[in-house]
């Protein structure tokens, strides 16, 4: 994908990023078919009321693994924080906190790189953008 395509993808991701619950749904439902199984992990915090009502609970963490890069979003008291980790065989070599916009751009770039080398990923991303 070219840089304008990456920016288009980042913009498409950004439009749904205001609510981490919605954002987790976008990544798991719309992009999950472009990522290998297990690449997207969602953690939820369930209150007693959630359990009694049978609800899944609010998303507290969203973790996306692409190659040796792990992108995490966490929410704590309404504040969303991003982190980019470089991992090799489960060992974290570097960890860097980032703002949401940078997190989105890195995610878009990583997805674009995956789409450039995988026809299935490219087709899934094209469906997401249209």
């Amino acid at each position: 994908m070219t840089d304008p395509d990456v920016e288009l993808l980042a913009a498409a991701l950004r439009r749904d990023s205001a609510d981490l619950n919605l954002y987790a749904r976008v990544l798991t439902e719309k992009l999950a078919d472009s990522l290998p199984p297990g690449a997207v992990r969602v953690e939820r915090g369930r209150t007693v009321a959630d359990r009694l009502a049978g609800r899944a609970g609010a998303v507290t963490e969203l973790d996306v693994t692409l190659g040796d890069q792990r992108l995490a979003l966490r929410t704590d008291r309404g504040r969303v924080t991003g982190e980019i980790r470089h991992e090799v065989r489960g060992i974290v070599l570097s960890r860097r906190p980032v703002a949401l916009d940078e997190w989105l751009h890195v995610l878009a770039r990583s997805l674009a790189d995956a789409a450039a080398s995988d026809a299935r990923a490219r087709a899934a991303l094209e469906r997401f953008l249209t």
Side-chain angles (χ1 to χ4, degrees):
M1 288 183 122
T2 63
D3 278 345
D5 291 336
V6 171
E7 293 306 318
L8 181 63
L9 178 57
L13 291 168
R14 194 175 293 116
R15 76 170 174 245
D16 293 321
S17 65
D19 177 0
L20 191 56
N21 284 302
L22 175 63
Y23 202 62
R25 192 179 82 225
V26 167
L27 285 177
T28 55
E29 291 177 7
K30 290 186 177 182
L31 294 178
D33 60 346
S34 69
L35 301 173
V40 177
R41 183 179 56 82
V42 177
E43 285 190 25
R44 298 178 181 275
R46 292 179 70 195
T47 64
V48 172
D50 289 332
R51 288 184 183 103
L52 291 174
R55 295 185 298 249
V59 173
T60 58
E61 184 174 344
L62 175 66
D63 198 67
V64 181
T65 303
L66 298 164
D68 60 355
Q69 195 164 39
R70 189 173 216 157
L71 305 162
L73 277 183
R74 289 181 190 86
T75 184
D76 184 27
R77 297 182 190 121
R79 184 171 171 236
V80 177
T81 58
E83 182 178 73
I84 299 173
R85 290 178 245 156
H86 179 76
E87 288 187 9
V88 176
R89 290 182 287 250
I91 298 170
V92 178
L93 300 177
S94 67
R95 179 182 305 250
R96 181 171 56 104
V98 295
L100 182 59
D101 278 347
E102 183 178 353
W103 191 91
L104 289 169
H105 186 74
V106 170
L107 176 63
R109 169 56 60 200
S110 297
L111 290 171
D113 291 347
S117 63
D118 184 346
R120 183 172 157 234
R122 184 172 36 259
L125 288 177
E126 287 173 359
R127 282 193 308 274
F128 176 74
L129 292 172
T130 58

